[in-house]
Amino acid sequence: GQQVMQIPQYQHVQEGEDFTTYCNSSTTLSNIQWYKQRPGGHPVFLIQLVKSGEVKKQKRLTFQFGEAKKNSSLHITATQTTDVGTYFCAVPSNAGGTSYGKLTFGQGTILTVHP
Amino acid sequence: NAGVTQTPKFQVLKTGQSMTLQCAQDMNHNSMYWYRQDPGMGLRLIYYSASEGTTDKGEVPNGYNVSRLNKREFSLRLESAAPSQTSVYFCASSGYQPQHFGDGTRLSIL
């Protein structure tokens, strides 16, 4: 099955600093999704990337899909305390799988923001 | 509009006891999933059901069984609980859209 590595595992930042988490795959991906889980909560879908080199923005969040479709990043500009949580990438479990079937999740990056 | 509902929210069991975790979705989704979440391990798929009447093993199925009772409901059963099954369990569903998760069941096995 598909595997994806996510780094770093933990990130501590001061409020206002930037934050980036990365996902890497050894195989070409058809798409990648990003989820956020607040402390004590459940994962919530943020965005899906499909195209090579795609960049999408949601306010202070910037998501990028690599040109080779083997890696992706999530960048948060000027973090706020509301950004605290765990950020997961997720990829189709089967090579060439659709966005809406079985997913393999990265280990997640736990973001702590110090006010 | 409840989305994905899981019961119970918390449970403590003794080793060897059995229990069933319940999950129901009201979004008319075909696919449903059970995950466990352990510190540093992310979300690992236990079982999934691509459609009503079908189930299949995920990454960590040992010690678990599932039933897709109908399109709405997908239950997870622990026949003989072990301390290694202490975890947070999430149910999720999806149709032609990303997965929607329930609030989770926090299960401790002593």
Side-chain angles (χ1 to χ4, degrees):
Chain A
Q2 194 66 265
Q3 289 188 337
V4 59
M5 291 297 297
Q6 188 172 356
I7 56 170
Q9 187 173 1
Y10 301 95
Q11 186 75 58
H12 305 272
V13 300
Q14 289 293 130
E15 190 172 19
E17 293 181 337
D18 292 355
F19 158 76
T20 305
T21 175
Y22 302 89
C23 272
N24 296 292
S25 170
S26 58
T27 60
T28 302
L29 303 169
S30 58
N31 63 82
I32 190 164
Q33 298 177 22
W34 286 92
Y35 289 76
K36 177 183 178 180
Q37 183 179 23
R38 295 183 186 275
H42 59 271
V44 174
F45 172 77
L46 293 176
I47 209 159
Q48 176 180 280
L49 305 172
V50 178
K51 300 177 182 177
S52 168
E54 187 171 16
V55 178
K56 288 188 175 181
K57 292 189 176 184
Q58 291 179 349
K59 297 182 180 178
R60 294 177 294 103
L61 279 60
T62 302
F63 304 84
Q64 189 162 1
F65 205 6
E67 293 289 343
K69 299 182 73 173
K70 290 185 176 182
N71 58 77
S72 181
S73 64
L74 158 58
H75 179 82
I76 302 178
T77 302
T79 55
Q80 299 176 359
T81 55
T82 53
D83 295 324
V84 164
T86 303
Y87 293 84
F88 293 99
C89 60
V91 301
S93 295
N94 302 319
T98 68
S99 311
Y100 312 124
K102 199 170 53 165
L103 297 175
T104 297
F105 283 78
Q107 297 94 325
T109 296
I110 300 172
L111 173 64
T112 304
V113 180
H114 299 283
Chain B
N1 192 355
V4 179
T5 302
Q6 290 184 236
T7 55
K9 295 192 183 304
F10 303 92
Q11 185 72 49
V12 178
L13 294 177
K14 294 181 179 179
T15 298
Q17 287 186 317
S18 62
M19 83 161 293
T20 299
L21 307 185
Q22 306 287 352
C23 176
Q25 53 94 7
D26 62 3
M27 294 173 284
N28 201 36
H29 287 164
N30 286 322
S31 301
M32 297 186 74
Y33 314 83
W34 276 105
Y35 295 91
R36 61 177 290 173
Q37 184 174 31
D38 303 293
M41 301 292 291
L43 292 156
R44 292 184 292 169
L45 184 66
I46 305 171
Y47 270 94
Y48 75 104
S49 172
S51 62
E52 184 179 356
T54 68
T55 61
D56 209 346
K57 296 178 180 179
E59 181 185 354
V60 288
N62 292 344
Y64 305 95
N65 285 300
V66 291
S67 295
R68 184 74 183 267
L69 305 170
N70 47 56
K71 191 171 186 179
R72 289 187 64 248
E73 299 173 289
F74 188 37
S75 62
L76 178 71
R77 183 161 178 83
L78 287 71
E79 290 291 351
S80 178
S84 61
Q85 294 177 306
T86 292
S87 188
V88 180
Y89 292 85
F90 287 102
C91 176
S93 70
S94 68
Y96 294 104
Q97 55 190 300
Q99 294 186 14
H100 292 254
F101 287 79
D103 289 338
T105 295
R106 284 148 182 82
L107 180 62
S108 293
I109 299 160
L110 307 176

